[in-house]
Amino acid sequence: MGQNVPECGSSTDYEPVCGRPHGVSLDRHGQLIVADSYLGLHSVDPKTGKKTLLLSNSQGADGVPFAFLNGLEISSQTGVIYFTDSSSRWGRRHVKLEVIELNRLGRLLSFRPETRRVSVLLDSLYMPNGIVLSPDEDFLLLAETSIGRILRFWLKGPKAGTKEIILDNMIGYPDNIRLSSHGTFLVGITTPRFRKFIPPFLDLIAPYPAVKRFLAKVIPLSCYNILLPRYALVLELGLDGEILGTFHDPEGRLTWAISDVFQHRGKTYLGSTDLPFLPVLEEWDSFSSAECPQETF
């Protein structure tokens, strides 16, 4: 979405200049809507490549600029664009600092293309990430990654405009949430929180703000990767947040750090925050029931 310079893709330091698309979805008119973490909401014509800025990060909402646009979902009924701003402090390239500091600086927002009106639906969120509309679009689910929680925000009915927690103290940190091909929710878990001899690293430092601030200042971001297990985990949820199944690659033989799970034409695609390729599963439905044991990809 940004400048096309030779350095793009070589380092995260160039992301604010080059742009970093995060959420992507087609609208009702066949236009590609892109949430660029640094450069705002854009509309892109898939045929010509022409891009149009809808809402810049500097514009923000309610006087607060965006710093880290992330999740994106578009209503097929109304055309409203729902999106998350994960932090007003850290940009995408410093996502690990946002997780470590456990800030409540994120927001859920909506944007109406016909009026160019942006609204804050929820604020003071813990790194809001992936969002997904329910099949009837009466609510959406939102992942608060840094705290390991999933919220439901009601869009219609007597609870419209309210939120509720449907999963808390999760077994891992949720990233994106998608509808499966049969109407359930699939949640990618970037890092599990399995306890072994000692608690997971983030759990261990969570009660100590001074330690977290110190680590954020002195330890390079790349060093945190050695503390994270290579483990792939996906949760399948029912409409009320009940866990219907779990899917595992405990040794990371195929993939790990699952950021997204997307089903299309009978195949399941697994995104990862760490890997430069996209694993594709030929079969999935046979495992999608509450009675199924945990399986390895």
Side-chain angles (χ1 to χ4, degrees):
M1 294 294 104
Q3 300 178 31
N4 185 18
V5 298
E7 291 81 6
C8 289
S10 63
S11 168
T12 58
D13 291 337
Y14 291 97
E15 288 185 355
V17 175
C18 304
R20 178 57 161 82
H22 227 100
V24 180
S25 184
L26 285 172
D27 69 10
R28 296 184 298 175
H29 308 293
Q31 298 298 293
L32 200 62
I33 305 301
V34 180
D36 187 292
S37 291
Y38 301 91
L39 303 177
L41 290 178
H42 291 75
S43 176
V44 179
D45 189 322
K47 296 180 180 179
T48 66
K50 179 183 178 181
K51 60 185 179 182
T52 302
L53 178 64
L54 301 177
L55 181 67
S56 69
N57 274 25
S58 60
Q59 287 177 265
D62 290 355
V64 180
F66 305 137
F68 185 177
L69 293 195
N70 199 330
L72 178 74
E73 182 75 312
I74 303 175
S75 170
S76 62
Q77 299 175 3
T78 65
V80 173
I81 300 170
Y82 299 97
F83 63 102
T84 56
D85 182 25
S86 292
S87 173
S88 59
R89 173 176 170 83
W90 296 110
R92 195 216 70 88
R93 67 192 187 280
H94 296 126
V95 58
K96 292 183 177 68
L97 298 182
E98 180 63 28
V99 173
I100 289 172
E101 291 185 356
L102 207 62
N103 297 315
R104 298 183 64 185
L105 300 174
R107 296 184 290 177
L108 169 68
L109 307 105
S110 66
F111 179 79
R112 297 182 179 273
E114 68 277 8
T115 63
R116 297 295 180 104
R117 179 182 178 185
V118 59
S119 301
V120 178
L121 304 180
L122 291 174
D123 58 12
S124 300
L125 298 173
Y126 291 95
M127 194 185 161
N129 197 331
I131 51 177
V132 64
L133 286 163
S134 65
D136 295 331
E137 298 193 3
D138 52 348
F139 67 85
L140 60 77
L141 296 187
L142 179 150
E144 286 187 288
T145 298
S146 62
I147 202 173
R149 184 163 71 183
I150 294 179
L151 302 179
R152 171 160 49 192
F153 180 76
W154 288 97
L155 300 170
K156 301 176 183 178
K159 295 183 179 179
T162 66
K163 68 176 180 180
E164 59 192 22
I165 298 171
I166 66 166
L167 273 181
D168 200 3
N169 194 25
M170 293 174 65
I171 193 63
Y173 299 96
D175 199 322
N176 281 295
I177 311 174
R178 301 285 185 185
L179 273 179
S180 73
S181 57
H182 48 278
T184 58
F185 297 112
L186 299 176
V187 184
I189 301 297
T190 57
T191 305
R193 296 170 59 206
F194 300 137
R195 183 185 182 98
K196 296 183 178 180
F197 299 107
I198 60 174
F201 171 69
L202 292 177
D203 287 16
L204 194 64
I205 66 174
Y208 308 106
V211 173
K212 292 191 291 184
R213 288 193 295 269
F214 173 76
L215 293 176
K217 291 179 179 179
V218 302
I219 298 181
L221 293 179
S222 58
C223 293
Y224 291 105
N225 289 335
I226 65 175
L227 302 172
L228 305 178
R230 289 191 171 186
Y231 195 116
L233 177 60
V234 176
L235 305 182
E236 182 175 16
L237 308 181
L239 294 183
D240 289 322
E242 68 276 19
I243 296 178
L244 303 179
T246 58
F247 307 86
H248 300 248
D249 183 355
E251 297 178 359
R253 295 180 179 180
L254 175 63
T255 186
W256 61 87
I258 301 296
S259 61
D260 207 349
V261 188
F262 182 77
Q263 293 184 331
H264 181 64
R265 296 181 178 178
K267 296 182 179 180
T268 300
Y269 301 81
L270 302 174
S272 170
T273 58
D274 291 358
L275 300 176
F277 57 86
L278 188 70
V280 181
L281 303 183
E282 297 291 339
E283 296 182 4
W284 180 279
D285 287 350
S286 59
F287 302 119
S288 298
S289 68
E291 292 77 25
C292 286
Q294 297 179 353
E295 298 290 339
T296 300
F297 294 127

